[in-house]
Amino acid sequence: MLTIGKDQLARFREPPRRAFEAEMVEHLAAFSPPLFKTLGEEQMLVVVRTGMAAAERYGFDLRGPVRMYLELMLLFGSRFDTDPQYPWFHDLLTAEPEAPQMQRAERIHARVTEYRRQVAGPDDDYTFAALQRILHFAEQPLEYPPTQIVGEMARQFAAVYPEKVAYVGEPALTALIAEGVETARTLKSPSARGEALMSVLMFAFGHGCADDPLYPWIANTIRDGMDPEPARWPVRLEKKAITWLRHVLGDLPRRG
């Protein structure tokens, strides 16, 4: 995956745009069958259009780099370019904007390959094990005293996905948790439970997960649980998250 071949140099504006969008929907369906099964074709088309617009903002309009950008969204979340977990994405996307697109894309590809080697592991074994532990963690009480939530969540993240935490580093992890806490408070979470849950979801699905087209069930559950007061979305979202994780893990190939 994440390959950029010489046959991908044609600009996606040259063929009809709708044909390219349909091609990318088909490609992403093969890239992540479990996610496509959950989203469906119509919602994946929303993802493709969102990603194409984002890629254009960074000067990518060749087929290969655009396809890579879409794949990165599925791997890291639609807003991976501004995620505090991955500050190097923003650096690579904005460095040397006048350089050839393929050269810039190849640099990103090289960094992602190294990240996945260290964090995902061979055959994604580290990721698979981390998802299992995240599911177990999500099924436990997530209530922490407000003054201790950042430190406690950082400790828990290190336990469920040590490879990722080691790569991301403490400052980035702390920034992500703080963003999760602030997002939950903005959404009127009635307790630290919602703050912890939002931090977990951002860690697993990216910092933009609250309104990411890849995970519409998150935004829908939050919206439907805002009223009546107090906000009930944390409890509902926790149940949805557990169901989603079980569904995805059930669709993943079993390791021997």
Side-chain angles (χ1 to χ4, degrees):
M1 299 315 224
L2 290 170
T3 56
I4 307 173
K6 292 181 180 179
D7 61 332
Q8 299 297 322
L9 292 177
R11 297 180 187 278
F12 68 74
R13 280 193 288 258
E14 291 177 359
R17 189 179 185 94
R18 290 184 186 275
F20 181 81
E21 292 172 350
E23 178 188 336
M24 289 300 98
V25 168
E26 183 177 353
H27 172 70
L28 296 181
F31 186 82
S32 181
L35 189 54
F36 182 76
K37 181 179 178 181
T38 301
L39 287 177
E41 184 173 344
E42 183 176 349
Q43 185 62 26
M44 188 62 86
L45 180 57
V46 173
V47 172
V48 166
R49 289 172 174 169
T50 299
M52 289 173 65
E56 282 188 278
R57 289 195 292 270
Y58 288 110
F60 290 138
D61 62 2
L62 299 181
R63 295 172 62 85
V66 172
R67 188 175 72 174
M68 180 194 71
Y69 196 98
L70 294 171
E71 293 173 353
L72 292 176
M73 289 171 59
L74 270 62
L75 291 171
F76 299 97
S78 291
R79 297 208 175 103
F80 69 88
D81 56 320
T82 57
D83 197 317
Q85 298 177 92
Y86 319 112
W88 41 274
F89 269 131
H90 180 265
D91 295 342
L92 289 169
L93 286 165
T94 56
E96 302 184 59
E98 301 304 320
Q101 290 184 47
M102 295 300 293
Q103 180 179 312
R104 295 169 58 212
E106 286 166 1
R107 290 174 184 168
I108 296 170
H109 176 265
R111 182 63 183 267
V112 171
T113 299
E114 178 60 20
Y115 172 92
R116 288 180 57 76
R117 184 186 70 80
Q118 295 188 40
V119 175
D123 298 321
D124 291 328
D125 285 345
Y126 302 161
T127 300
F128 183 80
L131 286 174
Q132 297 272 20
R133 290 191 290 265
I134 288 173
L135 174 59
H136 177 72
F137 171 56
E139 292 172 329
Q140 309 306 311
L142 297 177
E143 195 75 57
Y144 299 115
T147 58
Q148 300 177 22
I149 188 169
V150 173
E152 286 294 327
M153 292 307 298
R155 182 177 65 81
Q156 292 287 354
F157 289 166
V160 299
Y161 205 160
E163 298 86 2
K164 181 175 180 178
V165 169
Y167 191 99
V168 168
E170 183 177 351
L173 190 64
T174 299
L176 178 76
I177 296 169
E179 182 178 343
V181 170
E182 181 59 31
T183 298
R185 290 176 180 173
T186 300
L187 294 170
K188 302 178 182 179
S189 172
S191 69
R193 186 183 190 87
E195 298 168 10
L197 176 62
M198 186 58 66
S199 299
V200 171
L201 293 175
M202 287 185 174
F203 182 69
F205 304 128
H207 83 134
C209 66
D211 60 356
D212 191 330
L214 283 165
Y215 309 107
W217 55 271
I218 296 179
N220 293 339
T221 304
I222 291 173
R223 183 192 64 240
D224 295 343
M226 288 296 287
D227 293 314
E229 294 287 352
R232 297 178 181 176
W233 63 262
V235 174
R236 296 177 181 177
L237 186 55
E238 185 175 310
K239 293 178 181 177
K240 284 286 186 72
I242 290 172
T243 299
W244 193 93
L245 280 168
R246 286 174 176 165
H247 175 75
V248 171
L249 285 168
D251 281 343
L252 287 174
R254 296 294 164 197
R255 270 59 173 174

